[in-house]
Amino acid sequence: MNNEKSELRWSVEQRLEFIEFRLFWDGHVNRSDLMEQFGLSVNQSSSDLNRYIGFAPDNMVYDKSVRSYVRGPAFKPQFLEPDAGRYLAQLRSVAEDILDCEDSWIADLPPFASAPTPVRGVNAVTLRSVVGAIRRSEAIELKYQSLSSPEPSWRWIAPHAIAFDGFRWHTRAFCLTDNFFKDFLLSRVLEIRAVRESQVTSTDDEDWNSEVTLEIVPHPALSETQAKVIALDYGMHGGKAKIKVRRALLYYALRRLGLDTDPAARRPQDQQIILLNSSEFRVPIPSASGSTIEGPSA
């Protein structure tokens, strides 16, 4: 069966994954689902359902009363690993208007909402220019508004990656003005006027290419039952969770987890977790002078 799976075209395998997604999450699937999602004919939809039955005959049975295939009692995934994160990511994408309801694989969207986040003003042409420079290993001259200066300034940077800090998008780049690697917020790039070849490579960015592991545990002042709930919240095993992060993004990760301040500054119920191994690595803090990261204060 594994050999048969490996010989499937990507488009066919995607449709079989869709069938399995609907069976697992919604409990049913029929021809019209495939027709609407992929623009298939009746015959092609029937063929895909029969193909799926051939791979997993116990995963679905036809229910005449609802005119659909329903999840079988012996259901066992064959084409995808059920992932709560993937399901919730689709809900969030729909809530934030990133994904249209019709493009979601979820049949019956449950009532949901997402805490609003400000729309970041990233210019599409700016993003295209930065991504193009990354692909072609080029440097670009841009007009950038840093918060460490009252007026924007022109500078050359050699971008090599795009990064998201949980709130905003950056480009990770070598700044030819300051002569070190740092982050530039894409929304603060006001103009791009020139491009040239660059000799800088991503391998030179030590902070980008090295990782640190954050070891987090429930706050020790929480009760035993509270600590167990926090362990579940963060997917801890043995009362501890390990999170790998690029050193270049360490500050942002700590800030997002609420670990960028003294744990004693907040109530245990608000702090919830603490960092066990903070002494093992330096924490790069954004500043206007000499930092490897140009973050919130830049």
Side-chain angles (χ1 to χ4, degrees):
M1 181 176 292
N2 288 333
N3 289 336
E4 293 180 55
K5 286 184 183 178
S6 64
E7 294 173 1
L8 291 173
R9 296 195 309 275
W10 176 83
S11 58
V12 175
E13 187 170 1
Q14 186 184 39
R15 297 199 296 270
L16 297 181
E17 286 184 11
F18 171 81
I19 291 171
E20 197 158 271
F21 183 95
R22 283 286 174 92
L23 287 172
F24 181 84
W25 291 108
D26 299 301
H28 56 83
V29 67
N30 58 30
R31 289 185 306 186
S32 63
D33 292 333
L34 288 160
M35 293 166 64
E36 292 172 7
Q37 189 71 33
F38 299 101
L40 303 179
S41 66
V42 173
N43 289 340
Q44 183 61 65
S45 299
S46 297
S47 176
D48 285 339
L49 289 167
N50 289 329
R51 189 192 299 269
Y52 183 82
I53 291 173
F55 281 111
D58 297 326
N59 275 9
M60 65 182 189
V61 294
Y62 190 73
D63 187 333
K64 293 182 180 179
S65 64
V66 295
R67 296 183 179 181
S68 289
Y69 287 95
V70 298
R71 184 175 60 240
F75 178 88
K76 185 178 180 181
Q78 298 292 324
F79 290 91
L80 58 82
E81 187 66 32
D83 184 356
R86 181 179 178 184
Y87 183 94
L88 295 173
Q90 287 200 32
L91 285 185
R92 182 178 179 185
S93 295
V94 172
E96 297 180 356
D97 295 324
I98 297 172
L99 183 70
D100 291 334
C101 292
E102 308 82 59
D103 295 327
S104 170
W105 280 17
I106 304 170
D108 301 311
L109 291 166
F112 63 93
S114 176
T117 54
V119 176
R120 300 302 180 184
V122 178
N123 182 278
V125 175
T126 296
L127 178 60
R128 182 184 66 184
S129 299
V130 171
V131 171
I134 292 171
R135 289 172 176 166
R136 295 185 293 269
S137 298
E138 295 174 337
I140 54 178
E141 187 184 19
L142 52 79
K143 190 177 186 180
Y144 189 78
Q145 178 63 70
S146 169
L147 294 189
S148 61
S149 303
E151 298 295 330
S153 62
W154 287 96
R155 66 176 71 201
W156 282 92
I157 70 168
H160 69 78
I162 300 291
F164 185 62
D165 66 10
F167 298 98
R168 299 175 295 187
W169 285 96
H170 309 248
T171 181
R172 182 72 178 173
F174 184 78
C175 178
L176 283 79
T177 301
D178 296 332
N179 204 37
F180 59 78
F181 287 95
K182 60 201 301 186
D183 292 345
F184 292 88
L185 284 167
L186 292 174
S187 58
R188 294 182 186 170
V189 177
L190 305 181
E191 188 179 345
I192 295 176
R193 70 179 180 186
V195 178
R196 72 186 189 198
E197 291 185 6
S198 171
Q199 302 302 317
V200 180
T201 66
S202 61
T203 55
D204 297 324
D205 189 349
E206 294 183 5
D207 281 346
W208 179 264
N209 292 302
S210 61
E211 287 186 337
V212 296
T213 300
L214 309 179
E215 296 185 6
I216 61 173
V217 296
H219 195 292
L222 293 174
S223 70
E224 183 178 350
T225 53
Q226 288 174 329
K228 287 181 179 179
V229 169
I230 296 303
L232 289 173
D233 282 347
Y234 288 87
M236 297 181 184
H237 299 282
K240 179 193 301 185
K242 294 185 177 182
I243 304 172
K244 287 187 177 181
V245 60
R246 291 181 186 272
R247 188 180 293 275
L249 301 179
L250 177 58
Y251 169 81
Y252 303 118
L254 293 176
R255 183 178 64 176
R256 194 174 187 189
L257 291 167
L259 297 170
D260 57 333
T261 57
D262 183 354
R266 297 197 297 173
R267 296 189 317 136
Q269 291 80 3
D270 296 326
Q271 180 64 33
Q272 300 181 1
I273 58 173
I274 63 169
L275 185 63
L276 279 184
N277 60 333
S278 59
S279 61
E280 295 181 10
F281 45 78
R282 63 179 174 83
V283 179
I285 302 297
S287 66
S289 59
S291 167
T292 57
I293 292 181
E294 179 160 318
S297 62

